[in-house]
Amino acid sequence: MLDIVREYWLLLLIGQYPNGPLGGLALSLILAILGLAFSLPLSLVIAMGRVSPIRWISFITAQFVRIIRGMPLLMLIFWAYFVVPKLLGSSVSGFTTLVCALVIYQAAYLAEVIRGGIEAIPAGQIEASRSMGASYFMTMRKVVLPQALFNVLPGLTNQFVSTVKETSLGYVISVNELTFSANQVNNLVLTQPLQVFGILAIVYFVVCFSLSRSLRWLDMRVRQARAMA
Amino acid sequence: MIKMEKVSKWFGDHQVLTDVDLTLKTGEVVVICGPSGSGKSTLIRTINRLEQIQKGRIEVDGQDIYDSQINVNMLRQKIGFVFQQFNLFPHMSVLDNVLFGLVNIQKRGRKDSIEVAKSLLARVGLAEKINAYPGSLSGGQQQRVAIARALAQQPPVMLFDEPTSALDPEMVGEVLQVMKGLAREGMTMVCVTHEMGFAREVSDRVVFMDAGQILESADPETFFTSPQHPRAQRFLSDVHTR
């Protein structure tokens, strides 16, 4: 196993870069970061739409969530990969396709987690803010969301970790991320699939574990600071 | 300062307020008491439109609060509200709780606002707690911060909705002390409370409610020594023999 790591660590880490496109773990992390960076704000908007007192806004956002939640991510990726170029009339890179699919898919799930957090905020918090003369959006921004997002941090962590692992689906549309690189290595080594995919599993685990640990650390620090522990 | 005329409110089919009339002059302190479920809290919550009314008219500071021209957020800045459950923002320090209205709503500079907030916190006896979070304070301390927060925008009227009912007995005094101070300084106040000592000591008028109606309205001396309505007599004897 160590031999494989020693031989192919660069391919696993950055793909064929700089002689070819960036790939491997580096690309997986970029995909995950972009996925999170775009899906989080989008999910905030959807979650606010879900709890909106304006009926048509809550209806539309609810349908969006239901539809996305009702399809497998892999199907969404295929759909984006084959349909979007037809609609746009020009080709779209696998990388872009994957980021878009991840963002849309994760946004729907994150939105539901955040909506749960918003709805769990006691009515008294909102009344306190409104009774001072704060508008609906000011109350959302300063009172409801800061508390709701913090309260649902464990649920958000779940979705973040999922996003990291779901980048591996890029494999099916030939995005040369970590799983794709590992498969290349496997094809080069030929005789040791157990070891190669064992390394792959360890790398994913380390990334996901560090992510969830750092978010837990953040959670605990904030709790201590706010005298909630 | 506050004028309610024939105010009625229903929750579904259930009428919770029936033709309530209540007038407060500037600087007046009115205590509303009555058994639970009598509509006291609902009544006080209609004054800043936390509850809608279906009939009648409410004026605050000469303005009809249901006038379509009126901006409810502007109106509410002029009415301080203190809740039974304090409702401090747990994710903000004590100082930031008091700064909330000044900085976020009135958009005043943070630096000047901090001076205002500090002096308010000193006034409620919590100057040394400005950097604490609500979670580390006792109930009495939290309620005093909530009063400071409600005072920050300098509202001419303060509404108190059972401010001491969620407190341990030994903390009631410190909150009442702050409220008494406010009353003596001439603040216009409406207090829903079961604290009869407070009513007797600082209120100008006691209003007794039952089943959504005002049954009796009198100065505290008259109310406590010779209540007219039999329901009020019964309420007072129950409260006193407790």
Side-chain angles (χ1 to χ4, degrees):
Chain A
M1 210 152 154
L2 283 175
D3 299 342
I4 302 172
V5 174
R6 207 170 295 138
E7 183 106 2
Y8 297 107
W9 65 275
L10 203 58
L11 181 62
L12 290 171
L13 195 63
I14 56 173
Q16 270 125 31
Y17 193 79
N19 303 317
L22 184 69
L25 178 62
L27 188 69
S28 287
L29 289 178
I30 290 171
L31 283 164
I33 288 165
L34 286 177
L36 292 179
F38 289 112
S39 62
L40 194 59
L42 181 60
S43 67
L44 263 178
V45 173
I46 297 167
M48 300 235 321
R50 286 283 264 143
V51 299
S52 168
I54 302 166
R55 285 288 285 279
W56 66 267
I57 294 180
S58 63
F59 179 80
I60 289 176
T61 45
Q63 297 321 308
F64 171 81
V65 168
R66 279 184 196 127
I67 290 167
I68 298 301
R69 212 166 41 180
M71 60 173 78
L73 176 57
L74 188 57
M75 205 219 77
L76 190 68
I77 291 171
F78 278 143
W79 189 86
Y81 191 62
F82 295 116
V83 178
V84 173
K86 283 226 164 75
L87 290 177
L88 292 178
S90 62
S91 70
V92 177
S93 74
F95 178 84
T96 313
T97 306
L98 184 59
V99 170
C100 292
L102 278 177
V103 166
I104 290 171
Y105 194 74
Q106 282 303 332
Y109 279 88
L110 285 170
E112 286 300 275
V113 173
I114 294 169
R115 177 174 72 100
I118 292 174
E119 286 176 349
I121 297 297
Q125 289 289 306
I126 296 159
E127 286 182 352
S129 171
R130 299 304 305 269
S131 77
M132 280 185 271
S135 67
Y136 178 86
F137 284 106
M138 175 67 76
T139 302
M140 256 307 168
R141 194 155 63 88
K142 295 283 182 180
V143 176
V144 178
L145 287 179
Q147 295 187 62
L149 288 175
F150 176 72
N151 292 343
V152 299
L153 202 54
L156 294 179
T157 306
N158 240 345
Q159 291 311 122
F160 293 167
V161 167
S162 282
T163 309
V164 171
K165 291 182 297 181
E166 281 159 0
T167 58
S168 65
L169 288 169
Y171 173 78
V172 299
I173 54 171
S174 303
V175 177
N176 53 339
E177 42 66 61
L178 182 60
T179 305
F180 192 89
S181 301
N183 198 51
Q184 282 180 313
V185 172
N186 187 43
N187 290 341
L188 293 169
V189 179
L190 268 177
T191 52
Q192 294 176 298
L194 192 66
Q195 287 83 339
V196 171
F197 290 111
I199 292 166
L200 181 63
I202 290 168
V203 174
Y204 276 117
F205 177 80
V206 167
V207 172
C208 294
F209 186 73
S210 328
L211 181 61
S212 59
R213 270 293 149 139
S214 15
L215 286 171
R216 208 176 87 166
W217 176 82
L218 180 73
D219 183 274
M220 277 171 20
R221 282 300 299 271
V222 174
R223 268 174 208 284
Q224 277 163 8
R226 289 182 189 170
M228 292 160 71
Chain B
M1 184 58 87
I2 299 175
K3 197 160 147 194
M4 306 181 89
E5 283 171 357
K6 298 233 170 283
V7 169
S8 295
K9 176 177 176 63
W10 286 262
F11 283 130
D13 291 337
H14 178 59
Q15 185 159 14
V16 284
L17 294 176
T18 309
D19 290 338
V20 173
D21 290 306
L22 183 68
T23 307
L24 260 86
K25 292 195 286 285
T26 303
E28 222 177 351
V29 177
V30 169
V31 163
I32 303 177
C33 63
S36 53
S38 59
K40 317 179 291 283
S41 285
T42 308
L43 177 70
I44 201 171
R45 287 162 60 90
T46 62
I47 300 173
N48 71 348
R49 281 178 55 177
L50 278 180
E51 301 282 354
Q52 302 285 315
I53 60 170
Q54 277 82 41
K55 258 175 68 185
R57 183 183 159 80
I58 303 175
E59 269 181 28
V60 175
D61 209 5
Q63 280 178 309
D64 179 350
I65 65 167
Y66 284 95
D67 188 338
S68 57
Q69 301 290 311
I70 221 162
N71 176 341
V72 68
N73 294 331
M74 296 299 285
L75 170 83
R76 284 172 174 161
Q77 290 176 38
K78 296 197 293 181
I79 307 172
F81 200 101
V82 176
F83 297 85
Q84 181 177 352
Q85 299 294 343
F86 334 132
N87 293 339
L88 291 181
F89 304 132
H91 60 301
M92 296 180 193
S93 68
V94 163
L95 180 66
D96 283 327
N97 266 278
V98 180
L99 285 175
F100 186 85
L102 294 169
V103 172
N104 292 321
I105 302 169
Q106 295 195 331
K107 309 282 184 199
R108 289 214 250 158
R110 192 176 165 87
K111 226 174 140 196
D112 298 338
S113 304
I114 286 176
E115 294 310 308
V116 176
K118 276 184 177 169
S119 75
L120 281 167
L121 284 167
R123 182 165 158 190
V124 298
L126 291 169
E128 79 284 11
K129 292 285 187 189
I130 55 169
N131 293 316
Y133 277 79
S136 68
L137 301 182
S138 72
Q141 290 171 329
Q142 288 193 50
Q143 192 61 299
R144 284 186 281 152
V145 174
I147 293 172
R149 181 177 69 173
L151 287 170
Q153 301 186 80
Q154 294 182 301
V157 179
M158 287 285 284
L159 309 176
F160 295 83
D161 186 8
E162 300 204 31
T164 58
S165 301
L167 296 175
D168 288 342
E170 73 266 29
M171 292 166 185
V172 171
E174 61 191 63
V175 171
L176 289 181
Q177 211 53 48
V178 171
M179 291 171 61
K180 284 175 192 168
L182 274 176
R184 294 208 180 91
E185 286 164 31
M187 176 63 80
T188 311
M189 292 163 64
V190 183
C191 313
V192 172
T193 181
H194 299 295
E195 294 298 328
M196 294 302 136
F198 173 81
R200 200 187 274 266
E201 203 178 320
V202 297
S203 78
D204 298 303
R205 197 144 39 96
V206 179
V207 168
F208 178 77
M209 282 185 79
D210 190 31
Q213 283 176 296
I214 291 183
L215 297 185
E216 187 149 353
S217 173
D219 64 273
E221 191 55 36
T222 316
F223 180 77
F224 287 112
T225 52
S226 52
Q228 300 301 304
H229 199 282
R231 187 67 188 85
Q233 290 164 1
R234 189 146 50 89
F235 177 78
L236 280 176
S237 78
D238 286 350
V239 170
H240 285 145
T241 54
R242 206 167 37 160

